[in-house]
Amino acid sequence: MNLQDLDPVYKPLIEARILILSQDQASVFKPPENSVLIRISDPYKFFKTLSGSWQHVCKAKFYDVTSLHLSAIMAGYVVPTEKDLRPIFEFLTLHKDKFVVVHCAAGISRSAAVAKVYAEYIGRQDISEYISSCGIFDPNSEVVYLLREMWGLL
């Protein structure tokens, strides 16, 4: 799968050099030149093998829960912390001139949260708002808050 194979709803993201994918999409995606990848999964889960060639890859493992998900917390799921997000923060700070692809299991919540705040960090508030309003993504509010705090965007 290449950029041109993606649904037109991704066009604003592609133009901003930010892309949100599911793990299944990322595993078959052929990235454009100068692309970096952030891979997010639940702890204790394995990442699928990638078919594309990436300049740099960052891996992070944390659950897709917020402090409002009391039943999930009671079941043993842990809310993401700054420690969980620090590698993503440092990776994006280092590679902000690259085409950034972020994937999580479904490509809806954790990856969307990272892409949303990253868009704000690089001055693309329009893309941040698009991610929240296009009807496809549902950014994890805990991840949004923590990354905004780390980048001084609060």
Side-chain angles (χ1 to χ4, degrees):
M1 174 175 48
N2 297 310
L3 288 175
Q4 59 269 25
D5 299 324
L6 293 169
D7 189 283
V9 75
Y10 289 99
K11 187 177 181 187
L13 299 174
I14 293 166
E15 290 172 355
R17 298 171 45 88
I18 302 169
L19 187 57
I20 303 164
L21 298 175
S22 69
Q23 180 167 236
D24 288 342
Q25 290 171 313
S27 68
V28 297
F29 184 69
K30 304 286 190 234
E33 211 171 293
N34 254 353
S35 295
V36 295
L37 176 66
I38 297 173
R39 309 189 80 187
I40 303 169
S41 82
D42 289 345
Y44 314 111
K45 291 214 174 167
F46 294 100
F47 291 108
K48 288 187 174 184
T49 303
L50 299 171
S51 62
S53 178
W54 299 89
Q55 191 172 33
H56 297 281
V57 177
C58 173
K59 295 179 182 177
K61 294 193 172 207
F62 54 89
Y63 292 111
D64 187 16
V65 295
T66 69
S67 53
L68 300 176
H69 294 122
L70 297 179
S71 60
I73 293 168
M74 291 177 69
Y77 292 91
V78 179
V79 175
T81 65
E82 183 178 321
K83 181 181 175 188
D84 296 319
L85 299 175
R86 172 84 29 208
I88 294 171
F89 167 79
E90 291 174 357
F91 184 82
L92 287 173
T93 302
L94 183 64
H95 297 291
K96 72 179 192 176
D97 60 330
K98 308 287 190 229
F99 191 103
V100 173
V101 179
V102 188
H103 93 69
C104 61
I108 294 172
S109 183
R110 291 171 288 184
S111 56
V114 169
K116 176 180 177 57
V117 182
Y118 175 67
E120 294 171 14
Y121 171 66
I122 63 170
R124 295 298 308 264
Q125 187 65 31
D126 59 321
I127 297 302
S128 175
E129 291 170 10
Y130 180 78
I131 290 168
S132 293
S133 66
C134 72
I136 295 175
F137 309 111
D138 184 18
N140 178 300
S141 60
E142 201 82 27
V143 173
V144 168
Y145 177 81
L146 288 169
L147 285 173
R148 280 181 176 159
E149 186 175 57
M150 293 168 81
W151 267 312
L153 298 171
L154 290 177

